């Protein structure tokens, strides 16, 4: 599955990383460091959680 | 829909918050997504809050916070982009998860030191004995100020909050508020040219083009006093209240500390202490099908939106494994800068507390009552009793 990261929307909540650290990394300032791209099937569930928990809709899945 | 001609308009003061805040939030949700109260439009649904929060140009903070009557600009809460971005960029490094993680050990030690004498007593007022001193100490540590200033800081902070509140400050409180300014002023001046790892020394000595002026530094320190102390105090109070009411919850957490972060998140979701956060429209607009003229005061009700069933199944249940976003720390460009620090403080206090006092309840005859109306929602006292523990 593909994850699309809209980094401009990120406000540094860091919830994505807190709930799905296998998929989402944050940088030194607490903003999302993960790039848009394909992720392996076994990480789909975690990716969905990370996307849902973000208050800013940074992460979309397709 | 809001504005039904058969329903009398609510006032803030009559909301049943003191003894039944769940009913109050539900009342608002039932009337939502927008509710008229006291001359303002309250956004209560998740979607309405989301919309207001994410258009800072249309829904302005600067206009909304002008009325608090602070003698210095409240950096950065009272600013809109683009000015606001400058402050956030300067401050973000000091509040990032990585930097806060470095403080964990020290925070845990401070929590443990405060808890040890309390645990031996078998009773305490959570607010007075733990929830007030702990964040004050953390704040002083963050700014590299001496812990011996804790009592003074608390007194001044109370004075400043009284001054900003509905009845204003007494003469004595006004003097206290001025003392706080004097103190912060002095500390800011002292730090010029010093080296140190603490936030205050670093921002004071920032030599970049974007560095804050003296007035801005004062405003920042002032805001941090307002934003970093009572917020954590109140949230700790809610955490203990929720635990005191629910033996099942206590047992689960005491048996498995890995559930504590999920619990902390629920405490914040269900009890967002900033409660009502205002914006003012900068032009005519439409929100949830309703026309709002320019200059309309729109108030976001986090606690209602955080219970919106459209987002939160079983919204009033405590569930450790929720995957929904919530507005407990706000969102958008003014997302609570201290959110990572706050989460750490809450988690560490609860871990240290439950380690030694896994079981407790309200003192006989004690009923928790929330002061209302209030700018910041929180208990003033929370009496609990428990089996003494000697650490």
């Amino acid at each position: 599955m593909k994850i699309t990261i809209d980094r401009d929307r990120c406000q540094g909540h860091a919830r994505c990383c807190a709930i799905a650290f296998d998929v989402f990394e944050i940088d030194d300032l607490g903003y999302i460091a993960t790039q848009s791209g394909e992720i392996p099937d076994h990480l789909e569930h975690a990716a969905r959680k990370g996307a849902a928990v973000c208050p800013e809709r940074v992460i979309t899945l397709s | 829909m809001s504005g039904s001609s058969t329903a009398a308009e609510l006032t803030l003061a009559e909301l049943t918050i003191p003894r039944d805040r769940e009913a109050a939030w539900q009342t608002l949700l039932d009337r939502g997504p927008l509710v008229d109260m006291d001359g303002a439009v309250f956004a209560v649904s998740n979607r309405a809050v989301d919309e207001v929060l994410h258009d800072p140009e249309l829904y302005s903070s600067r206009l909304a916070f002008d009325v608090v009557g602070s003698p210095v600009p409240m950096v950065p809460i009272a600013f809109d982009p683009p000015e606001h971005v400058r402050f956030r960029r300067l401050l973000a490094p000091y509040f990032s998860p990585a930097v806060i993680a470095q403080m964990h050990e020290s925070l845990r030690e401070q929590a443990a030191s405060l808890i040890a004498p309390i645990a031996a007593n078998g009773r305490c007022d959570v607010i007075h004995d733990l929830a007030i001193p702990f964040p004050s100490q953390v704040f002083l540590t963050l700014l590299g100020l001496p812990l011996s200033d804790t009592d003074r800081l608390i007194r001044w902070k109370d004075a400043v909050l009284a001054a900003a509140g509905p009845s204003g400050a007494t003469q004595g409180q006004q003097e206290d508020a001025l003392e706080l300014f004097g103190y912060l002023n002095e500390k800011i001046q002292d730090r010029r040219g010093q080296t140190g790892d603490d936030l205050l020394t670093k921002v004071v000595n920032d030599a970049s083009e974007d560095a804050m002026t003296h007035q801005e530094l004062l405003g920042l320190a002032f805001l941090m006093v307002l934003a970093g102390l009572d917020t954590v105090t109140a949230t700790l109070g809610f955490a203990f209240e929720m635990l005191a009411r629910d033996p099942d919850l206590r047992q689960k957490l005491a048996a498995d500390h890995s559930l504590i972060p999920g619990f902390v998140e629920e405490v914040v979701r269900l009890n967002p202490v900033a409660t009502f956060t205002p914006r003012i429209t900068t032009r005519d607009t439409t929100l949830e099908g309703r026309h709002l003229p320019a200059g309309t005061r729109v108030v976001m009700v986090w606690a209602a939106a955080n219970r919106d069933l459209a987002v939160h199944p079983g919204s009033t249940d405590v569930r450790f494994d929720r995957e929904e976003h919530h507005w407990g720390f706000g969102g958008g460009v003014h997302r609570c800068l201290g959110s990572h620090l706050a989460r750490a403080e809450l988690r560490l206090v609860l871990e240290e507390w439950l380690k030694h006092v896994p079981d407790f309840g309200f003192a006989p005859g004690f009923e928790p009552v929330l002061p209302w109306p209030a700018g910041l929602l929180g208990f003033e006292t929370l009496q609990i009793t428990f089996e003494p523990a000697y650490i």
Side-chain angles (χ1 to χ4, degrees), chain B residues 138-145 184 191 198-201 221 224:
Chain B
V138 171
F139 172 82
L140 290 166
T141 305
L142 191 68
L143 266 62
L145 299 170
L184 292 172
R191 293 308 164 79
D198 64 271
L199 167 64
L200 194 59
T201 304
M224 285 184 59

Side-chain angles (χ1 to χ4, degrees), chain B residues 305-353:
Chain B
N306 284 353
R307 287 167 171 74
D308 192 328
L309 287 169
V311 177
H312 303 285
S315 65
T316 54
D317 297 335
V318 172
R319 296 186 185 176
F320 303 125
D321 57 352
R322 283 189 187 273
E323 295 163 14
E324 312 105 44
H325 66 268
H326 66 78
W327 311 112
F329 286 107
V333 296
H334 289 282
R335 183 271 304 174
C336 172
L337 190 63
S339 64
H340 309 299
L341 176 58
R343 285 185 174 106
E345 289 186 57
L346 294 161
R347 175 176 66 82
L348 292 165
V349 166
L350 289 170
E351 279 179 16
E352 288 304 305
W353 178 269

Side-chain angles (χ1 to χ4, degrees), chain B residues 351-363:
Chain B
E351 279 179 16
E352 288 304 305
W353 178 269
L354 290 169
K355 213 189 276 186
H356 304 295
V357 187
D359 202 22
F360 57 93
F362 292 131

Side-chain angles (χ1 to χ4, degrees), chain A residues 11-15 19 26 28-30 49 52-57, chain B residues 50 54 93 96-97 265 322-323 325 327 330-333 335 340 343:
Chain A
Q11 297 293 346
H13 294 266
R15 300 314 294 155
I19 209 173
I26 52 173
D28 282 345
L29 290 182
K49 294 205 301 188
V53 84
C54 175
E56 311 296 338
R57 287 188 290 267
Chain B
D50 198 330
H54 288 102
S96 71
E265 218 54 33
R322 283 189 187 273
E323 295 163 14
H325 66 268
W327 311 112
V333 296
R335 183 271 304 174
H340 309 299
R343 285 185 174 106

Side-chain angles (χ1 to χ4, degrees), chain B residues 100-335:
Chain B
I100 298 305
Q102 285 164 24
M103 291 177 68
H104 285 179
E105 207 177 293
S106 160
L107 292 180
R108 186 188 292 282
E109 274 166 26
Q110 287 186 41
S113 301
L114 272 173
I115 286 168
I118 295 171
N121 270 346
R123 63 179 303 126
C124 75
D125 178 341
V126 173
I127 305 302
H128 181 265
D129 299 337
L130 182 57
I132 288 177
F134 181 69
S136 305
Q137 287 184 17
V138 171
F139 172 82
L140 290 166
T141 305
L142 191 68
L143 266 62
L145 299 170
L147 292 186
S148 52
D149 284 341
T150 303
D151 288 347
R152 288 206 289 171
L153 181 70
I154 291 170
R155 196 178 75 240
W156 293 332
K157 177 264 301 173
D158 287 342
V160 158
L161 288 172
S167 16
T170 63
Q171 178 63 33
Q173 283 171 332
Q174 283 175 41
E175 284 161 11
D176 281 345
L178 283 174
E179 274 191 54
L180 176 59
F181 275 106
Y183 172 89
L184 292 172
N185 221 4
E186 183 194 301
K187 296 300 177 189
I188 289 169
Q189 315 238 43
D190 278 351
R191 293 308 164 79
R192 293 210 183 277
Q194 303 294 323
T195 50
D197 276 335
D198 64 271
L199 167 64
L200 194 59
T201 304
K202 294 198 130 146
V203 295
V204 163
N205 291 300
D206 181 351
S208 72
E209 261 178 20
D210 270 349
M212 288 189 251
T213 65
H214 188 86
Q215 280 293 96
E216 287 168 343
L217 282 169
L218 211 47
L220 167 69
F222 181 67
L223 177 70
M224 285 184 59
V225 169
L226 291 189
L229 270 52
D230 284 10
T231 46
V232 177
T233 296
T235 311
L236 273 171
F238 285 119
F240 276 84
E241 183 232 5
M242 287 168 73
L243 289 171
R245 285 189 194 283
D246 191 337
D248 191 54
L249 186 58
R250 283 200 299 279
Q251 239 168 48
K252 286 198 172 104
L253 290 180
D256 184 359
H257 283 202
S258 76
L259 297 175
I260 291 175
F263 173 62
V264 165
E265 218 54 33
E266 285 289 80
V267 175
V268 174
R269 178 181 69 87
L270 290 166
N271 304 284
V273 296
T275 323
F276 299 116
T277 302
R279 299 285 189 266
I280 294 196
T281 55
T282 56
R283 58 177 194 271
D284 286 8
T285 190
T286 304
L287 178 63
E288 294 291 340
R290 170 143 165 212
H291 171 75
L292 301 178
T296 303
R297 187 175 171 86
V298 179
V299 181
M300 293 177 282
V301 186
W302 312 115
N306 284 353
R307 287 167 171 74
D308 192 328
L309 287 169
V311 177
H312 303 285
S315 65
T316 54
D317 297 335
V318 172
R319 296 186 185 176
F320 303 125
D321 57 352
R322 283 189 187 273
E323 295 163 14
E324 312 105 44
H325 66 268
H326 66 78
W327 311 112
F329 286 107
V333 296
H334 289 282
R335 183 271 304 174

